[in-house]
Structure formats: C-alpha cells, structure tokens
Amino acid sequence: MISAYRSGTSPVHRMPTGIKLISFIGMSLVVAAAVTDLWQVVAALTFVMTAYALAGLDARVLTGQVLAVRWVIVFMLVPQLLFLPALVAASNTARVALIIVLAALFTITTRVPDLLDAVERALVPLRRFGVRPEGVALALALTITSIPVLAGFASTIRDAQRARGIPAHRVSFAVPLLIMSLKHADDLADAVSARGIKP
Amino acid sequence: MVKQAAWDVRDTTRVAAFAALIAVLGLPGAVPVFGGAVPITLQTLGVMLAGTILGPWRGAAAVLTLDVLVLIGLPLLSGGRGGAGVFVGPTAGYLVGWILGAFVIGAISFAGSLRPTWWRTAAACITGGIVVVYACGIPVQALVIRLPLAQTALTSVVFLPGDLVKVVLATAITLTLWRAYPRAFSRRVINR
C-alpha cells in the first residue's frame, strides 16, 4: 500500500497531528469563504506555495499534486464553462484546486499510523454512545491489510477465467470475488477470536 | 420478520473486507468493465452490494471505514484519489452520500422476507444508490463550484446511464450470490 506520505523534519511535519488537522481545516475554510476574484486567487496561490516551501517540498511536489487532481479540475470546469463567464469559472476552479492541494499537504506531511492513532483518540469521547475506539481501529487496520489480499483474489479469478477461455463477464467475476472476500473475512474473525481480541 | 443479531467479531471483519472490496473495485484494471474500454468507476457497485449483503448498519459501517481511510490519506478512490483534499473537493458530497445510500439500500433490502427478490433489490439500489447519493452529492457540488443547483443537476445526468447499469449488475450479483453462498448475507430470522 503506497501512502502519499513523504518523510521530512520540517515544522509542518513535526506539528502534533490534532493541531495540524484543525489548522488545515481552518485554512481551507478561509480560502473557501474569502477567495472570489483573481487577485485573491493569486494571494492564496502564494500562500499555498509558501506552505509547501515551509514543509521542505519543492515545486515538483506541488505540480504533482495539481496533476493528480486534473480530472477533478476538468469535472469542475466543464459544467461551469457552460453556464458562467470564463473568468469566473476559472477563478472558481482555481479556488477549489488550491483547497485540494492545501489539504493534500496535510496528507503528505502526516504518517498513516499517526493518523490512525489520532482517529482512535478522537473517538474516545464517543465511548458513551457505544462506540468502541479500539474496535474501529481494528476495522481500519484489517481493511488496510485486506486490500492486497482481495486484489490478489481478483487477479486469481481473472487468470482462471482467462485460462478457461471465459470472456470477462461482470457477474461471473463478482460472485466468486465476493465469496472469497467473505470467506477471508470469516477466517480473519476466527484468527481475531483465537487471540482473545474483543471486536 | 428479519432481524440482525448483535455485533460480533465476524461483523467487524466483514465490514473491513467490504471496505477493502470497494477499494479494490477502484483499482485500475482490477475488474474488467466492457473490456476495460470505458473508464467508469465500479465503486458505486461496491457500495450497493455492501447494502444488499451486509444490511443497513454494517453496510454503512463498511463505507464509513473506506471514507475514513481515504480521509487520512490512502489513495483508495478510483484513479488513485485520496487524502483530505477529496473531502473539500466537488465530489465530497457523493462520498458522504455513499454512507447514507448504503444504509438506505440495506434498510430496503432487509425490510421484507429472508430471501432477496429482484424487484426489492433493484428498488433499494435505485433509491439508495442513485436518489440518495445524488441528493447528497449535487448540492455539495453546486456549493463548491458555485453553480446554481438546477444547472449542476443537469450536468450530473451524464452519470445516470452508468449508475443504472450498476443497479442491474448489483441486483444480478445479489441474487446469484444468494443461490451460490447464502451464508454471505448477515441476516438471521428471529421468531418472536
């Protein structure tokens, strides 16, 4: 599983996860609410570039993040160009793209295990409503480990069907995948109970 | 009356497996769709199946698990998208709508008898997988790209044929799975 995390020792990397999350949400809301005309877009772009520089990331990383959301940009731009003036459509799209790239900086500078811990800690107040943070953490960890296993099942089924000359068919592909996935889940359940872990 | 038993380990691992399954359905080339020629996402199909197979609460929990992992930065959405940025972008409403959609699909398909029927499964997938998801997704999209609601809705019509195909697939898969592996369905009859 490849995560977007890039290691580093910058102030952005070292900020505690909770505080970092809250400040990134704050900055996104400010950009979403305040930026409307072209000059404000330029100001926000400067701010995002400064934030990336502060995190010790070069312009290539920033460009890579913009390229990663190119289809989202197309998805936003096309309907707007049908109904709005081009300049308004462009600055609307730029604003949203900037917010996405800013949020990506949070993802780039925070390790997945740290985030899983933060999720578990954030859920502790919900314990009184019957939420068990350690159960949620278990489900999240099991999902991450199951993805490569299930991807393996998918390629096994595809190869088996190709070997028998069965054309790729949606239903005859999905049903064995579902059965294998659910059996895998039941095996995991046995392994978890055998170790005395409460769900 | 069909009722679900209390939550146990098996449910946690099934929720995890379904969250992983929805992620795998978004991997490029993992699942053949029309010979791989049409780049449509099959993740909505996974959301529909989570509802029809796991039921309302467990189905919604599977989608919620996937959303949390996407939020913390794993690239699990189709096209390798992921990270907090997805939840401030124009498609954020659709991702949240998936949770509610899976719940509605599960509630409708588990409302009647033990055995799934094609018409109830299809009705559940249309209501939860299309109506609920669009009702959550379109207003957020309109808000994010600052376009009037009606015009945003009009541009979303492009995705309707693909979603209807997914309803047909989800119904066929659910009914075939019931014949092939009834244990898949986490529903038990409770006689009172």
Side-chain angles (χ1 to χ4, degrees):
Chain A
M1 180 53 54
I2 303 156
S3 126
Y5 177 73
R6 277 165 179 267
S7 59
T9 52
S10 75
V12 186
H13 281 86
R14 283 177 308 189
M15 213 189 268
T17 312
I19 296 169
K20 200 195 311 191
L21 180 61
I22 291 165
S23 42
F24 270 85
I25 293 172
M27 288 187 288
S28 302
L29 288 177
V30 169
V31 177
V35 176
T36 41
D37 66 25
L38 203 58
W39 288 113
Q40 288 162 336
V41 167
V42 173
L45 176 65
T46 318
F47 174 74
V48 169
M49 284 166 76
T50 315
Y52 269 75
L54 198 64
L57 302 163
D58 58 16
R60 264 204 313 263
V61 180
L62 182 59
T63 325
Q65 288 304 317
V66 176
L67 282 178
V69 295
R70 60 191 183 278
W71 293 115
V72 180
I73 293 175
V74 172
F75 175 72
M76 283 189 287
L77 198 56
V78 170
Q80 292 191 80
L81 283 175
L82 294 176
F83 301 109
L84 297 174
L87 198 63
V88 179
S91 70
N92 273 347
T93 309
R95 185 190 66 246
V96 180
L98 282 173
I99 296 173
I100 294 174
V101 172
L102 187 63
L105 181 61
F106 174 77
T107 308
I108 293 173
T109 56
T110 316
R111 263 192 294 262
V112 170
D114 290 348
L115 281 162
L116 286 174
D117 287 346
V119 169
E120 195 174 343
R121 275 201 307 278
L123 289 176
V124 169
L126 294 181
R127 206 183 270 281
R128 71 188 69 173
F129 301 111
V131 176
R132 295 182 57 259
E134 54 280 14
V136 176
L138 178 68
L140 293 175
L142 286 177
T143 305
I144 295 175
T145 56
S146 294
I147 292 168
V149 178
L150 265 54
F153 291 161
S155 88
T156 306
I157 297 167
R158 202 170 45 237
D159 289 348
Q161 293 191 333
R162 200 178 288 150
R164 278 176 278 149
I166 300 173
H169 184 271
R170 273 78 67 193
V171 178
S172 69
F173 175 83
V175 173
L177 181 61
L178 279 168
I179 295 175
M180 288 169 89
S181 307
L182 288 164
K183 282 190 168 156
H184 171 70
D186 291 351
D187 288 347
L188 276 178
D190 292 340
V192 168
S193 340
R195 284 160 181 77
I197 302 165
K198 297 270 184 194
Chain B
M1 183 66 204
V2 181
K3 277 199 94 169
Q4 286 192 295
W7 195 287
D8 69 6
V9 194
R10 212 157 286 275
D11 294 308
T12 303
T13 56
R14 285 189 164 200
V15 162
F18 251 92
L21 188 75
I22 300 172
V24 168
L25 288 176
L27 292 178
V31 182
V33 186
F34 307 116
V38 185
I40 67 165
T41 166
L42 275 180
Q43 292 190 309
T44 328
L45 177 66
V47 172
M48 290 175 185
L49 292 171
T52 60
I53 295 167
L54 295 184
W57 294 103
R58 290 153 177 81
V63 181
L64 181 63
T65 305
L66 178 81
D67 275 356
V68 169
L69 289 175
V70 169
L71 179 66
I72 68 174
L74 297 179
L76 301 183
L77 296 180
S78 60
R81 289 178 303 130
V86 177
F87 285 88
V88 289
T91 54
Y94 294 97
L95 295 179
V96 178
W98 279 1
I99 303 173
L100 196 61
F103 185 88
V104 170
I105 293 168
I108 295 174
S109 17
F110 277 35
S113 64
L114 185 67
R115 194 187 175 82
T117 52
W118 72 264
W119 53 270
R120 200 189 307 112
T121 311
C125 290
I126 290 171
T127 314
I130 296 181
V131 178
V132 172
V133 171
Y134 281 36
C136 295
I138 292 171
V140 174
Q141 192 189 341
L143 197 70
V144 169
I145 63 180
R146 294 190 188 169
L147 198 66
L149 201 57
Q151 293 168 349
T152 314
L154 200 62
T155 59
S156 303
V157 172
V158 200
F159 299 100
L160 207 52
D163 282 339
L164 286 171
V165 170
K166 284 173 225 165
V167 169
V168 174
L169 286 176
T171 308
I173 291 166
T174 304
L175 294 183
T176 313
L177 188 68
W178 172 258
R179 284 197 299 276
Y181 192 62
R183 281 184 54 201
F185 293 79
S186 53
R187 44 171 99 177
R188 287 137 224 182
V189 177
I190 293 177
N191 291 315
R192 285 182 190 273

